[in-house]
Amino acid sequence: MAPHTPHVVIAGGGIAGLTAALALHAVGFPRISVVEAARAPRPAGAGLNLMPGAVRELDALDLLPALEAGAALRTRELRYYHRSGGLISREPRGLGAGYRWPQLSVHRAHLQRVLGDAVRERLGPAAVLTGVRVTGVDVRPCGQPLLRLEHRDRGGRRGRASLEPDVLIGADGIRSAVRAALNPGEGRPPWNGMLVWRGVSPMPARTAPPFMLIAGDDRRKAVVYPMSRPADGRVLVNWALAGPAATVPDPDDLGDWSRAVGVETFLHHYEGWEFDGVRVTDVLRAAETAHAYPMVDRDPLDRWSHGRTTLIGDAAHAMYPIGSNGASQSIVDARALAHALAAHRDPAEALRAYEADRRPVTTALQEANRRQGPEVVIDLAHRRAPHGFTDVHQVIPAEELADIARRYATTGAFDPATVNQGSPYGPPYLPSRAVVGPAGVA
């Protein structure tokens, strides 16, 4: 049977899916289709932080100039505080911490726009099919996926279709239909009893915090940081708050960022929270909208890949929003997967190599985030000095603080020494990459 050009289908047009499309195109795959359930992009949440290791991979795809030309802001300092106002630690970030690449604070919509524009420019406007939902996946004995789809036209009429791509990538988020098909009976994402409230506040540049802060106690947390350069004297400030839920959320809300709420419903919990001149309630009152989200993740899987189908991003390893790792790890996944597919003639072998590279790292991060990750310093400070302190080193020795940060970075392979070695996901590749017959025959 004559070789043919492999067709790769990516389920999900978010950060993971679009980055995967660009990464695959960059290593020479010309037939890539992204199917997205939404008819128009609706970036969930608000802002996010991209760690230097993820920025390194975006730079390798020639996306960093577009990101920084728009609304992305380099994160230069992170401070941890106890809710009493006591400073626990302050850390340089990005270039200031010795990385070759910056850490970026960016609005999720801006990142998705940069990725989407690049996909349309490099792969063509037909590469992304919107309004197409995955309804089922079967993996044939030969490993080839059979993908069942439902699509809806602009008049609301539904149609059904099926595809038999050479490779299927599930990049469809925490409530992934591809993951559910591969793991029937897994159920809804587990909830830890906490709610997260998120939003964006346009603020006068003179009152916006010049650093990223994470503050709280053993029950509540606040994350606040700027994510744009001043424009017309104003700055966009991202914020995320976490606290125990008063009521059990609707099961349909688990994994859904779209539920809008009024700021007044939770603002009172953060009265009096002030950190080096940054009043959390001032930031909240400046918000245009707010959304609530039950804090959920996914239990680590024993395997991501079945034949020529695999998972990336939240579909593979959704984790608590701690340590700026959700989007960052999705971007690294995408590059790692493209590299593996380019370096192996057999797609199933490529997916096994990708999984062997990425699953141990992300599983360790999922587990670390369930233990509060680097934010555990706040819990430690509160446990040892619940009413506050004047010298944090009498509460947590400097060596212990440094060790917590170092261990977390090493767990995720985003410590400066590892990141600065450069991307492991570049050429050389095999001269004949992932070329198979339609039934999986080389």
Side-chain angles (χ1 to χ4, degrees):
M1 181 178 293
H4 79 294
T5 304
H7 181 206
V8 181
V9 170
I10 302 169
I15 292 169
L18 295 175
T19 307
L22 292 168
L24 286 163
H25 177 266
V27 297
F29 286 83
R31 295 181 62 208
I32 303 164
S33 302
V34 180
V35 296
E36 166 56 43
R39 287 213 59 86
R42 293 185 305 158
L48 51 85
N49 251 255
L50 295 176
M51 301 295 282
V55 175
R56 177 190 69 187
E57 303 307 329
L58 294 174
D59 191 27
L61 294 173
D62 196 27
L63 296 170
L64 184 55
L67 273 173
E68 293 210 273
L73 180 70
R74 295 188 175 191
T75 308
R76 290 182 166 84
E77 185 180 43
L78 167 62
R79 300 183 187 181
Y80 288 102
Y81 294 90
H82 182 253
R83 67 162 298 171
S84 64
L87 178 66
I88 298 171
S89 70
R90 55 192 302 174
E91 306 169 4
R93 308 298 280 185
L95 302 181
Y99 288 94
R100 290 171 53 195
W101 288 268
Q103 179 172 327
L104 295 180
S105 298
V106 60
H107 199 294
R108 187 178 291 267
H110 174 60
L111 173 58
Q112 192 152 331
R113 184 163 49 248
V114 168
L115 294 171
D117 288 349
V119 168
R120 285 185 288 274
E121 177 185 341
R122 301 176 192 182
L123 282 71
V128 180
L129 308 173
T130 59
V132 180
R133 182 183 303 278
V134 175
T135 59
V137 179
D138 293 319
V139 179
R140 297 183 181 278
C142 66
Q144 185 172 23
L146 171 62
L147 180 62
R148 293 189 297 278
L149 303 169
E150 180 182 275
H151 57 89
R152 184 175 298 179
D153 63 22
R154 296 190 182 278
R157 293 183 295 273
R158 294 186 179 183
R160 290 178 171 79
S162 62
L163 281 177
E164 297 182 59
D166 296 291
V167 177
L168 172 62
I169 301 170
D172 46 345
I174 191 170
R175 299 195 292 185
S176 167
V178 178
R179 176 175 174 135
L182 299 177
N183 300 274
E186 182 182 28
R188 301 179 187 274
W191 176 50
N192 71 353
M194 303 285 284
L195 285 182
V196 179
W197 298 276
R198 297 190 73 167
V200 176
S201 297
M203 300 185 69
R206 59 182 174 78
T207 64
F211 48 81
M212 179 179 184
L213 73 84
I214 304 178
D217 54 25
D218 61 341
R219 285 173 55 81
R220 299 190 179 277
K221 301 286 193 304
V223 180
V224 180
Y225 57 86
M227 60 175 182
S228 71
R229 293 184 290 274
D232 299 323
R234 301 183 75 76
V235 168
L236 291 180
V237 177
N238 185 70
W239 51 267
L241 312 172
T247 58
V248 176
D250 186 321
D252 290 336
D253 287 340
L254 298 178
D256 182 6
W257 272 110
S258 63
R259 187 165 66 91
V261 296
V263 170
E264 68 281 354
T265 61
F266 55 84
L267 182 144
H268 60 283
H269 293 303
Y270 300 91
E271 291 285 358
W273 286 41
E274 182 174 347
F275 310 100
D276 285 331
V278 180
R279 289 191 182 94
V280 172
T281 51
D282 287 351
V283 176
L284 301 182
R285 289 189 177 100
E288 295 176 337
T289 60
H291 290 80
Y293 175 77
M295 191 182 288
V296 296
D297 65 357
R298 279 292 192 185
D299 291 330
L301 291 173
D302 292 332
R303 61 187 293 199
W304 295 348
S305 304
H306 297 249
R308 288 187 261 139
T309 298
T310 197
L311 305 171
I312 66 172
D314 281 355
H317 49 69
M319 58 188 72
Y320 293 155
I322 290 170
S324 303
N325 266 297
S328 293
Q329 294 301 321
S330 297
I331 289 165
V332 178
D333 283 352
R335 284 273 290 163
L337 178 55
H339 177 267
L341 283 166
H344 295 81
R345 292 182 177 88
D346 177 4
E349 182 182 342
L351 300 190
R352 288 192 293 271
Y354 151 72
E355 182 176 333
D357 175 30
R358 295 294 300 149
R359 190 166 60 83
V361 173
T362 57
T363 296
L365 283 172
Q366 286 179 289
E367 294 169 348
N369 282 6
R370 287 182 171 182
R371 299 189 299 270
Q372 296 299 305
E375 295 176 21
V376 74
V377 297
I378 296 174
D379 297 69
L380 287 176
H382 185 76
R383 191 180 311 140
R384 298 174 186 179
H387 303 296
F389 48 83
T390 54
D391 181 359
V392 69
H393 294 142
Q394 294 180 354
V395 180
I396 309 176
E399 296 79 7
E400 186 177 3
L401 286 171
D403 186 57
I404 289 168
R406 182 170 52 250
R407 279 189 284 117
Y408 187 71
T410 302
T411 296
F414 48 80
D415 56 288
T418 301
V419 171
N420 289 349
Q421 291 176 14
S423 177
Y425 306 122
Y429 302 114
L430 293 177
S432 176
R433 56 184 73 149
V435 179
V436 296
V441 180

